[in-house]
Amino acid sequence: MSQDASEATGPRGFIVWFTGMSGAGKSTLSRAIRDRLQSTRSVEVLDGDEIRTFLSRGLGFTRPDREENIRRIGYVARILARHRVAVISAAISPYRDSRNEVRRLAAEEGIPFIEVYARASLEVLVQRDVKGLYKKALAGEIPHFTGISDPYESPESPEVTVRTDSETVEAGVERVLATLRARGLIA
Ligand SMILES: Nc1ncnc2c1ncn2[C@@H]1O[C@H](COP(=O)(O)OS(=O)(=O)O)[C@@H](OP(=O)(O)O)[C@H]1O
Ligand SMILES: Nc1ncnc2c1ncn2[C@@H]1O[C@H](COP(=O)(O)OP(=O)(O)O)[C@@H](O)[C@H]1O
């Protein structure tokens, strides 16, 4: 049986939900935010790569598979947030409907949900090519590659947009933290 979260004490949980294309900076910003918060509270990063190894193994990159991946991450995020963890999700989550569904389910439980759009131009992403995937995708070697051979639906009204092609990591982190502070979620 699960513990009644209302019996626990400490700051309330919330979900910071990153979205953005591969190489946009979701992992970098998530880890930096975790580093800033972890001395004062419980915090967990749900990183795309790790999730796909342990929770969503076997899922690919078709729309139904990505939707299932996001549904699972959202489920775990809500469980953690219920127990007062600051949850940071760093999956691409390219579909607006999937993100909005996670937001809706969080809202049903009164869990604050902060959508953060990690945004950079395709030109910069291709220049960065952190994992060498853009080169392959542009050569037609990766079907369903987000932004090249698969859609990316940018958020319509994210709580925060971080332009990682023109802002420093530190500035992006500060803006996310400022939003959390303004909502009374962190000190
Ligand atoms: N076809 C295709 N499209 C996009 N990304 C691909 C693809 N194939 C492999 N990868 C690698 O998988 C990481 C994205 O997985 P996610 O779980 O975040 O994707 S999703 O949210 O389910 O859409 C993504 O990681 P990040 O670069 O950290 O975003 C890629 O490294
Ligand atoms: N302002 C910034 N914010 C985040 N990442 C940045 C920024 N400027 C440059 N980068 C670099 O861009 C890359 C982003 O990679 P990563 O965080 O793995 O992206 P993602 O998780 O979205 O795939 C890293 O090499 C990071 O150092």
Side-chain angles (χ1 to χ4, degrees), residues 4-72:
D4 180 354
S6 63
E7 288 172 10
T9 54
R12 69 194 293 216
F14 56 83
I15 300 173
V16 171
W17 191 278
F18 273 91
T19 176
M21 298 199 333
S22 177
K26 305 178 299 297
S27 303
T28 303
L29 291 164
S30 296
R31 287 194 292 260
I33 292 168
R34 178 193 58 201
D35 292 350
R36 288 286 296 275
L37 296 180
Q38 68 186 0
S39 63
T40 57
R41 57 168 305 143
S42 298
V43 47
E44 278 293 337
V45 173
L46 304 178
D47 194 73
D49 287 341
E50 209 171 308
I51 290 285
R52 279 181 173 273
T53 303
F54 294 105
L55 185 70
S56 293
R57 195 166 170 162
L59 292 182
F61 293 91
T62 60
R63 179 165 188 149
D65 279 11
R66 291 185 197 255
E67 286 172 344
E68 177 61 20
N69 184 38
I70 297 313
R71 206 181 62 78
R72 292 181 192 179

Side-chain angles (χ1 to χ4, degrees), residues 89-168:
S89 167
I92 293 176
S93 42
Y95 295 112
R96 214 170 276 143
D97 283 354
S98 287
R99 295 190 302 263
N100 288 340
E101 178 66 0
V102 181
R103 181 190 284 274
R104 188 185 69 73
L105 291 168
E108 265 185 11
E109 292 188 46
I111 297 169
F113 182 89
I114 310 295
E115 189 174 21
V116 182
Y117 179 20
R119 183 173 177 196
S121 69
L122 186 58
E123 196 186 349
V124 166
L125 296 175
V126 170
Q127 266 168 24
R128 282 184 190 157
D129 209 2
V130 186
K131 299 174 183 166
L133 295 172
Y134 282 94
K135 188 166 177 241
K136 287 189 186 157
L138 286 167
E141 290 166 19
I142 309 181
H144 297 293
F145 191 79
T146 304
I148 306 288
S149 46
D150 218 47
Y152 176 75
E153 299 175 355
S154 54
E156 276 161 352
S157 43
E159 278 72 10
V160 187
T161 297
V162 180
R163 288 293 314 228
T164 70
D165 49 8
S166 57
E167 276 178 85
T168 62

